[in-house]
């Protein structure tokens, strides 16, 4: 209090100036309608801005829990969407039993707790594991785009090889009825991937969508991976190299979903029976 | 003390003249207005307590507002001028500065100094008046134009008045000399 009084005494000239100006402006506002309206609108604007700022602050406080809730809801919606796609197939083709590619697929939300972006072989660790129903081989999605697959797992954490790891290769298709190819990462740009083993005869254009084939069992067919950026034909062989823009954003990846098939075990046992 | 009383009397006279006569000096649809009471403010001695300029500026504005029904416009501008006045005086002061209680007069301090001093005072006041009157930043350029015109007109009248008063006081001076042979 004493400091405040000292401050006022020290700056008494400014205090007097402000007081006199306030009196003058109040007088002006009371005697001129234009100034009165101007001050009223200024007051409303200031109050609006203040309330808006407060509101934003409040929403920031709950942002984390809101994100988490949205992620869970998104995951449920995706599962629902997969189920509906299955039903849609049955409804349309009633004559014979239709095996939907989305049958038995379900998703689990998770949050990334560790990720690298500067290495040749990047890694991601998430906060969900066996206890949450995630298994080795489950696919990971970032905002609906394919982002990686689980390679190691503990009770409460999972290690994921993202698309930006050079070791795994991914079976992909260009457009829904286009040619297949193998997607790899060259270890340079986190936003780009390269598709090889696509025949020169296939017409690929920049902007074509790149989707999963579903052959690896990690993802159902038709999930988006990215879009074609550049097509380059090799003179030496009969294939073309396609550079693509990855849909998943590995720089800001945080809330992800794991997608897996409850029927994978029976597929695995079927494959093992002939090996 | 005599200087203070003289300055306040001159200020009162200037305010009365503004209210009675120069209130009608509005030209070009309000773009050029004479603020004659500023003459009283230019003739205030320098070196007083800075707060006193603030109060004098505000009081002058209140008087003008009350009689010309300007509703606080002159008070706001006068207060701002009161805040700026000591700084303007120090801007035009010679290297050794003014003595406390010195009044800036064209005949003594040089006309250039007096004109610059009056110009700054008039411009600050005019711009404040027109800017506050417009009530928004968008009209700042218009306010600047009006302030420039009003400053020119007011400055001409102030310099003329100052010159006439100075000449009159010189002729009134006693002809009794300490050196009668000169």
């Amino acid at each position: 209090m004493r400091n405040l009084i000292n401050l006022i005494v020290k700056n008494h000239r400014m205090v007097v100036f402000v007081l006199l100006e306030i009196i003058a402006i109040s007088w002006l506002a009371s005697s001129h309608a234009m100034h009165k309206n101007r001050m009223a609108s200024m007051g409303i604007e200031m109050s609006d801005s203040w309330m808006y700022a407060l509101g934003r602050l409040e929403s920031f406080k709950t942002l984390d829990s809101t994100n988490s809730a949205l992620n869970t809801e998104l995951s449920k919606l995706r599962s629902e969407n997969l189920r509906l796609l299955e039903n849609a197939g049955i409804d349309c083709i009633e004559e014979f039993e239709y095996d939907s590619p989305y049958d038995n697929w379900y998703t689990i939300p998770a949050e990334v707790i560790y990720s690298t972006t500067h290495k040749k072989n990047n890694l991601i660790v998430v906060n969900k594991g066996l206890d949450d129903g995630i298994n080795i081989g489950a696919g990971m999605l970032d905002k609906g785009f394919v982002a990686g697959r689980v390679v190691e797992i503990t009770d409460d954490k999972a290690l994921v090889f993202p698309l930006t790891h050079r070791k795994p290769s991914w079976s992909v298709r260009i457009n829904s009825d286009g040619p297949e190819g193998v997607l790899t990462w060259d270890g340079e740009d986190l936003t780009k991937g390269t598709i090889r083993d696509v025949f020169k005869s296939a017409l690929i254009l920049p902007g074509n969508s790149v989707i999963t084939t579903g052959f690896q069992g990690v993802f159902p067919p038709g999930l988006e991976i990215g879009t074609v950026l550049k097509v380059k034909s090799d003179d030496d062989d009969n294939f073309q190299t396609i550079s693509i823009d990855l849909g998943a954003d590995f720089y800001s990846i945080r809330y992800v979903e794991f997608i897996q098939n409850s029927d994978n075990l029976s597929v695995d046992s079927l494959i093992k029976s002939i090996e | 003390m005599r200087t203070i009383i003289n300055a306040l009397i001159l200020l009162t006279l200037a305010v009365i003249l503004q209210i009675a006569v120069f209130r009608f000096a509005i030209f070009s649809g309000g773009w050029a207005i004479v603020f004659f009471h500023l003459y009283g403010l230019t003739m205030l001695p320098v070196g007083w307590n800075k707060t006193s300029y603030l109060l004098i500026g505000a009081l002058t504005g209140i008087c003008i507002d009350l009689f010309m029904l300007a509703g606080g416009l002159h008070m706001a501008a006068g207060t701002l001028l009161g805040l700026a006045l000591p700084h303007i005086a120090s801007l035009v002061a010679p290297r050794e500065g003014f003595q406390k209680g010195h009044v800036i007069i064209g005949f003594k301090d040089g006309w250039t100094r007096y004109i610059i001093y009056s110009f700054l005072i008039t411009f600050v006041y005019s711009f404040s008046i027109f800017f506050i009157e417009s009530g928004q930043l968008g009209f700042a350029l218009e306010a600047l134009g009006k302030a420039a015109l009003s400053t020119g007109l007011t400055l001409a009248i102030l310099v003329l008045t100052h010159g006439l008063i100075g000449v009159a006081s010189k002729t009134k001076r006693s002809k009794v000399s300490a050196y009668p042979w000169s």
Side-chain angles (χ1 to χ4, degrees), chain A:
Chain A
M1 190 64 189
R2 197 174 165 182
N3 286 341
L4 183 71
I5 292 168
N6 281 343
L7 188 75
I8 291 172
V9 170
K10 199 177 167 188
N11 297 298
H12 69 282
R13 197 161 138 253
M14 275 321 281
V15 174
V16 172
F17 170 72
V18 170
L19 281 175
L20 288 170
E21 284 293 344
I22 288 172
I23 294 168
I25 301 291
S26 312
W27 186 7
L28 194 66
S30 65
S31 56
H32 291 72
M34 195 262 286
H35 289 89
K36 195 174 185 174
N37 291 340
R38 190 94 200 132
M39 284 189 73
S41 62
M42 259 174 71
I44 291 166
E45 272 172 28
M46 281 170 74
S47 139
D48 271 2
S49 318
W50 175 242
M51 293 306 286
Y52 178 69
L54 274 184
R56 279 182 68 94
L57 209 65
E58 281 294 313
S59 65
F60 268 122
K61 276 163 66 181
T62 57
L63 201 60
D64 204 36
S65 55
T66 309
N67 268 346
S68 188
L70 279 172
N71 199 35
T72 310
E73 192 179 340
L74 185 69
S75 175
K76 280 179 187 166
L77 286 170
R78 280 193 199 285
S79 297
E80 184 76 2
N81 191 31
L82 292 175
R83 196 180 59 74
L84 287 171
L85 278 170
E86 173 193 351
N87 290 340
I90 292 166
D91 286 346
C92 292
I93 310 163
E94 288 175 352
E95 290 82 18
F96 59 91
E97 204 162 311
Y98 177 75
D99 265 341
S100 165
Y102 300 102
D103 198 9
N104 300 321
W105 288 96
Y106 61 96
T107 58
I108 300 161
E111 188 177 348
V112 173
I113 54 173
Y114 172 83
S115 90
T116 59
T117 54
H118 57 282
K119 295 183 177 173
K120 295 287 178 193
N121 290 317
N122 292 300
L123 294 172
I124 288 175
V125 178
V126 298
N127 66 345
K128 297 275 172 78
L130 282 170
D131 290 349
D132 305 287
I134 297 175
N135 297 309
I136 288 181
M140 186 178 80
L141 303 175
D142 172 42
K143 299 179 188 80
F145 289 98
V146 168
R149 67 183 287 189
V150 176
V151 288
E152 285 295 335
I153 197 152
T154 63
D155 288 344
D156 57 352
K157 286 181 185 58
L159 175 68
V160 177
F161 275 2
L163 294 184
T164 52
H165 191 291
R166 287 190 302 176
K167 199 173 168 189
S169 53
W170 311 83
S171 174
V172 299
R173 189 189 296 281
I174 296 159
N175 287 337
S176 57
D177 54 354
E180 295 150 22
V182 177
L183 171 68
T184 53
W185 187 59
D186 58 6
E188 296 297 328
D189 191 344
L190 283 183
T191 62
K192 297 194 172 46
T194 308
I195 301 174
R196 292 191 174 83
D197 299 345
V198 179
F199 282 111
K200 268 184 182 171
S201 56
L203 176 65
I204 315 290
L205 295 170
N208 285 165
S209 61
V210 180
I211 56 174
T212 53
T213 56
F215 295 164
Q216 288 173 307
V218 181
F219 298 101
L223 285 183
E224 278 194 87
I225 298 173
T227 50
V228 173
L229 194 68
K230 207 163 57 182
V231 182
K232 191 179 139 195
S233 292
D234 300 325
D235 295 333
D236 306 336
D237 54 25
N238 206 24
F239 297 100
Q240 49 190 336
T241 305
I242 299 155
S243 175
I244 70 161
D245 243 339
L246 296 175
D249 184 358
F250 292 100
Y251 285 111
S252 63
I253 193 164
R254 185 172 175 191
Y255 294 106
V256 292
E257 290 162 77
F258 285 94
I259 185 163
Q260 54 188 8
N261 192 340
S262 57
D263 208 25
N264 261 359
L265 286 174
S266 60
V267 175
D268 289 347
S269 60
L270 192 65
I271 293 168
K272 274 179 187 165
S273 68
I274 58 161
E275 282 177 348

